[in-house]
């Protein structure tokens, strides 16, 4: 898997919407650009980024700054922040693709994307996150819902032709199924979510069988909190995996926004296994 070049942390970059298009009915790609984006790492596909949106009360977009000691200073009109994924960055064009799952037009992030016109501004900080995102192994498992499809798409594009992998993606509707570029030894399974069933992805992972030649396994799991925890439990039981080979991160929790879920999410991420 690709190991990104380390970059010095910096404050958020102010960028603008350059283009937008729907990949599926619920997956919207926003392409951003701008002079401040120049120098963004070219090897960052799949990495985590933070997005900054206008303050909900004032409507102003004021970005935090980082001093020489690395301390972050927040403005009076604190922006709304959300964690997202780099889908792709094209250095020559200075264009960054960010995929948004559409769930209404009033939320700070999804709503911004749905309503964004060309020239609409936001802030981007990063990239960051684990490096590499998926540990090297001769057999790999990937599981997610639509929120982590951008990361999975990037990971699949980085795999060699000799790589063996199985991918399980849970969606509310098969209308959101779309072609993912991947090597010939990779199989992608699309599952229609059974509402209220948080074990569906875990059961799917339990059916995966390694090739006869496999001697090691690594896993990437991301998506809704309960589903991720169920998958993590299943994989630890099946393969005895630890964090070194099992990256399981909840992106969101049903019924909670990112502000309410933030602390619990980080507690889960910090757990030892």
């Amino acid at each position: 898997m690709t190991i990104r070049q380390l970059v010095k942390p910096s404050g958020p970059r102010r960028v603008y919407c350059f283009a937008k298009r729907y990949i599926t009915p619920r997956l919207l790609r926003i392409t951003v650009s701008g002079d401040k984006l120049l120098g963004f790492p070219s090897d960052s596909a799949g990495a985590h980024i933070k997005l900054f949106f206008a303050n909900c009360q004032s409507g102003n977009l004021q970005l935090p700054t980082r001093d020489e000691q690395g301390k972050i200073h927040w403005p009076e009109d604190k922006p709304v922040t959300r964690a997202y994924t780099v889908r792709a960055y094209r250095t020559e064009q200075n264009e960054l693709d960010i995929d948004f799952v559409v769930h209404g037009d009033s939320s700070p992030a999804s709503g911004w994307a749905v309503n964004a016109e060309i020239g609409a501004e936001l802030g981007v900080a990063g990239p960051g996150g684990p490096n590499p995102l998926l540990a090297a192994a001769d057999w790999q498992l990937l599981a997610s819902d639509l929120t982590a499809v951008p990361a999975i798409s990037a990971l699949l594009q980085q795999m060699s032709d000799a790589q063996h992998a199985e991918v399980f993606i849970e969606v509310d509707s098969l209308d959101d199924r779309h072609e993912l570029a991947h090597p010939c030894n990779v199989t992608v399974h699309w599952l229609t979510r059974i509402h209220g069933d948080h074990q569906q992805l875990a059961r799917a992972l339990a059916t995966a069988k390694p090739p006869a030649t496999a001697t090691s396994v690594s896993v990437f799991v991301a998506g809704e909190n309960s589903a991720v925890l169920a998958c993590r439990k299943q994989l630890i039981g099946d393969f005895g995996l630890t964090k070194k080979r099992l990256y399981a991160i909840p992106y969101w929790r049903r019924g909670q926004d990112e502000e309410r879920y933030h602390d619990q999410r980080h507690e889960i991420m910090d757990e030892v296994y």
Side-chain angles (χ1 to χ4, degrees):
M1 301 284 31
T2 299
I3 296 180
R4 301 188 303 276
Q5 184 178 4
L6 296 178
V7 294
K8 183 179 179 180
S10 63
R13 308 163 187 256
R14 186 179 292 265
V15 297
Y16 67 91
C17 175
F18 177 76
K20 62 185 292 187
R21 69 183 179 95
Y22 281 88
I23 307 301
T24 74
R26 295 170 187 81
L27 194 62
L28 172 59
R29 178 164 298 165
I30 299 289
T31 300
V32 302
S33 189
D35 291 344
K36 297 295 185 182
L37 192 61
L38 291 168
F40 193 87
S42 60
D43 58 350
S44 56
H48 301 313
I49 49 176
K50 280 285 188 180
L51 301 185
F52 300 79
F53 303 95
N55 179 279
C56 292
Q57 281 70 47
S58 70
N60 295 326
L61 177 61
Q62 294 184 352
L63 300 178
T65 57
R66 186 188 295 268
D67 61 26
E68 293 182 356
Q69 287 72 43
K71 184 178 179 180
I72 297 175
H73 300 273
W74 290 93
E76 181 178 351
D77 283 351
K78 189 173 182 179
V80 176
T81 64
R82 292 291 185 267
Y84 271 80
T85 300
V86 174
R87 178 60 188 88
Y89 175 67
R90 295 175 291 281
T91 304
E92 292 186 4
Q93 294 81 13
N94 188 35
E95 295 174 356
L96 173 65
D97 291 338
I98 308 166
D99 291 352
F100 293 76
V101 174
V102 174
H103 51 86
D105 60 1
S106 59
S107 69
S110 169
W112 179 90
V114 170
N115 295 310
E117 299 179 353
I118 303 304
E121 291 186 319
L122 74 161
V124 177
N131 188 11
L133 195 59
L134 179 62
D138 51 19
W139 183 52
Q140 294 174 324
L141 293 172
L142 300 90
S144 77
D145 57 26
L146 199 58
T147 61
V149 166
I152 283 182
S153 298
L155 288 169
L156 292 178
Q157 289 182 331
Q158 296 165 13
M159 291 182 181
S160 71
D161 290 339
Q163 183 62 55
H164 291 261
E166 284 202 62
V167 183
F168 299 88
I169 301 173
E170 189 178 58
V171 290
D172 286 325
S173 168
L174 290 182
D175 291 342
D176 287 310
R177 180 174 53 187
H178 57 287
E179 291 296 323
L180 304 180
H182 59 77
C184 61
N185 292 319
V186 173
T187 304
V188 179
H189 310 271
W190 293 89
L191 312 173
T192 303
R193 174 180 282 121
I194 302 171
H195 290 282
D197 183 357
H198 306 304
Q199 305 291 325
Q200 183 177 12
L201 268 179
R203 289 197 306 272
L205 284 169
T207 68
K209 303 299 181 184
T213 57
T215 61
S216 59
V217 58
S218 63
V219 185
F220 171 90
V221 180
E224 199 278 328
N225 179 86
S226 297
V228 169
L229 292 180
C231 289
R232 189 178 77 178
K233 181 179 179 181
Q234 182 74 47
L235 291 160
I236 292 173
D238 287 348
F239 301 107
L241 296 176
T242 64
K243 270 190 175 180
K244 184 177 180 180
R245 295 198 175 276
L246 171 56
Y247 180 64
I249 178 172
Y251 279 4
W252 61 287
R253 183 169 186 174
R254 196 173 303 279
Q256 293 188 358
D257 59 25
E258 190 158 327
E259 285 79 13
R260 293 172 59 198
Y261 179 50
H262 179 273
D263 290 344
Q264 183 185 0
R265 177 174 180 264
H266 281 269
E267 288 176 5
I268 293 171
M269 291 166 59
D270 292 340
E271 289 177 357
V272 177
Y273 54 88

